[in-house]
C-alpha cells in the first residue's frame, strides 16, 4: 500500500469531523495521516496543562513527535540547529507531556505539559511576553501576561 497523498490526508481528517466523542482510532493510522509542511515540520503550541497558559510555539517532525509520545517528555525539532531537542536537556526546564492534540486539519498540534521552570530561553515563563498596545501605537514587555490580567472588554 502506498503512502497517503495530501488529498487522502485531508479527506481522512474531514471524515473525523462527523465522529462522536469517545470514538477511538489507531494511533499509527492517525500519525500516518498528519500533514507536515514541505520541510517535514508541523507547528506545535505548548500550553501549561494546569492553567491553560500558552508557553511557546515550536516545531516537530515525525521523529520528534514519536519520541515525545514514547518518552513523555516534549521533544521538538530545532530549525536553527537542524536536529531534535528535548526541552530541558541543557537548561533543566523540562516539559512533561500530559497530552498531545491534533487540530481538525491534521497540520498543527497542541501539547499540554507540566512545565518545570521557564519555557522561554530568556528565562521567562512564557515566550509570549511582548504585548501589543495598538491604542498607544506601541508594544510593551510584560512577563506576567495572563488572560486574568486583561480587562473584560478585551476578551
Amino acid at each position: 500500500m502506498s503512502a497517503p497523498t495530501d488529498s487522502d490526508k485531508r479527506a481522512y481528517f474531514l471524515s473525523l469531523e462527523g465522529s462522536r466523542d469517545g470514538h477511538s482510532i489507531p494511533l499509527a493510522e492517525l500519525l500516518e495521516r498528519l500533514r507536515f509542511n514541505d520541510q517535514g515540520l508541523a507547528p506545535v503550541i505548548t500550553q501549561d496543562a494546569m492553567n491553560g497558559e500558552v508557553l511557546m510555539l515550536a516545531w516537530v517532525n515525525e521523529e520528534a513527535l514519536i519520541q515525545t509520545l514514547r518518552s513523555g517528555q516534549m521533544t521538538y525539532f530545532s530549525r536553527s540547529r537542524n536536529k531534535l531537542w528535548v526541552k530541558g536537556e541543557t537548561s533543566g526546564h523540562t516539559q512533561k507531556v500530559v497530552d498531545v492534540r491534533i487540530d481538525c486539519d491534521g497540520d498543527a498540534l497542541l501539547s499540554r505539559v507540566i512545565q518545570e521552570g521557564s519555557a522561554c530561553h530568556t528565562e521567562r515563563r512564557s515566550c509570549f511576553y511582548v504585548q501589543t498596545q495598538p491604542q498607544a501605537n506601541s508594544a510593551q514587555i510584560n512577563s506576567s501576561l495572563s488572560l486574568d490580567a486583561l480587562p473584560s472588554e478585551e476578551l
Side-chain angles (χ1 to χ4, degrees):
M1 182 174 173
S2 62
T5 65
D6 193 53
S7 180
D8 294 335
K9 292 175 180 183
R10 287 175 197 235
Y12 177 81
F13 280 93
L14 186 60
S15 75
L16 293 180
E17 290 181 10
S19 298
R20 298 182 189 270
D21 282 354
H23 174 77
S24 183
I25 51 179
L27 183 59
E29 177 181 300
L30 181 70
L31 294 177
E32 183 178 79
R33 287 166 176 82
L34 286 179
R35 298 174 52 221
F36 295 95
N37 67 17
D38 293 342
Q39 292 79 42
L41 304 173
V44 56
I45 299 164
T46 302
Q47 179 182 46
D48 186 301
M50 306 305 268
N51 63 19
E53 178 183 19
V54 176
L55 300 170
M56 59 186 285
L57 170 86
W59 298 88
V60 293
N61 61 9
E62 185 176 2
E63 184 182 1
L65 178 57
I66 290 169
Q67 185 172 318
T68 294
L69 296 173
R70 286 185 178 151
S71 71
Q73 294 296 317
M74 204 57 222
T75 304
Y76 300 101
F77 183 83
S78 171
R79 296 178 297 165
S80 62
R81 293 176 283 182
N82 197 34
K83 67 176 197 168
L84 298 184
W85 59 281
V86 178
K87 183 67 176 169
E89 66 188 347
T90 57
S91 68
H93 300 221
T94 61
Q95 294 175 338
K96 181 179 179 188
V97 176
V98 172
D99 67 14
V100 175
R101 300 175 185 201
I102 301 165
D103 80 334
C104 59
D105 296 321
D107 62 0
L109 298 101
L110 171 68
S111 65
R112 295 180 340 116
V113 302
I114 297 172
Q115 177 70 46
E116 292 294 331
S118 302
C120 186
H121 73 281
T122 65
E123 297 297 318
R124 290 178 170 93
R125 171 107 176 118
S126 170
C127 293
F128 295 95
Y129 58 86
V130 179
Q131 181 180 21
T132 61
Q133 299 177 324
Q135 301 81 357
N137 202 27
S138 68
Q140 184 177 35
I141 304 300
N142 188 348
S143 297
S144 61
L145 290 175
S146 73
L147 289 177
D148 296 334
L150 293 176
S152 61
E153 62 269 8
E154 289 187 37
L155 297 179

